[in-house]
Amino acid sequence: LAREYNEMLCSIQEAKVKVEEQHGEIIESMKMKRRAEREALESQINAHFICNTLGIINYEAIENGNDKVSVMIRKLSNILRYTFDQKRQEVFFRQEVAWIEQYLYLQKARFEDLFNYEISYDEIYGDWPCCKLMLQPFVENSIIHGLAGKHSGGHIRISAMEKDGRLQVSISDNGKGMEHSVEEKIQEILRTKGTISQKEKSRAGVGILNVVTRMRMFYGDKLSISLITEADKGTEFIFQLPIPETESGM
């Protein structure tokens, strides 16, 4: 009887510990949910405030006949609305291209004669589903790192075409190319499908790592990304994206 009583006490104690652990997990989950809801609401409020304020500034620019400033404000407002929109995580390819065009327009205004840009793709691909904000980190890499040291003559090209049953998207520049150590880190990100250690993450392009991870989640194993870079000639990222099932007749 004493042994059974002790065993019963042990079982009760173990059950109590499990209940407390489960209770703690539930409370923590609720806290995280409330925190996420609050942050989403704050982000939405900030987005509305910023975009509305830009609208007022744009009106003032128009009233004063400053068309160039007005265009820049409208493009910046469009960029922010697209970025802050939490409801649209899957977008059309034409929307992603329109966003990156506005981003390039503003960057060109910032860096003046540093670079020109070119975007070309067949409009038939415009309504294909696309991972949101997937081009920006690679374009930013070209501007900030690839064209570093240049004062003029830079060129960034974005193109898309169907090849071997997939949509091939290319982002290239005529910059200085990547240093070997940087190239190795980026190639590792591409080889390991975006999963590298936290230590290596701090050394690699965090923006590229994050977008590769999101693209893997969106496109799955059908996605492939390659990197070609050469000193003093430039860098090119090539994405092979799967054709949507509705387009392939599946």
Side-chain angles (χ1 to χ4, degrees), residues 93 125 128 159-164 166-170 236 238-241:
F93 187 69
Y125 312 128
W128 286 15
S159 63
M161 59 182 292
E162 194 170 345
K163 184 176 181 180
D164 299 329
R166 292 195 286 180
L167 179 63
Q168 178 174 293
V169 180
S170 168
E236 181 179 20
I238 301 172
F239 316 122
Q240 297 284 349
L241 311 180

Side-chain angles (χ1 to χ4, degrees), residues 144-211:
I144 303 300
H145 302 292
L147 302 180
K150 278 182 174 287
H151 299 288
S152 62
H155 189 78
I156 296 174
R157 184 172 189 271
I158 301 174
S159 63
M161 59 182 292
E162 194 170 345
K163 184 176 181 180
D164 299 329
R166 292 195 286 180
L167 179 63
Q168 178 174 293
V169 180
S170 168
I171 301 175
S172 62
D173 65 65
N174 64 342
K176 63 180 182 180
M178 291 184 180
E179 295 180 2
H180 181 65
S181 60
V182 176
E183 180 190 359
E184 282 189 335
K185 298 304 178 187
I186 301 299
Q187 294 285 16
E188 184 178 1
I189 290 173
L190 303 182
R191 282 195 304 271
T192 57
K193 299 184 178 182
T195 55
I196 62 175
S197 69
Q198 188 67 29
K199 181 180 179 181
E200 295 299 326
K201 178 177 178 178
S202 63
R203 301 176 184 173
V206 176
I208 291 179
L209 171 61
N210 290 341
V211 74

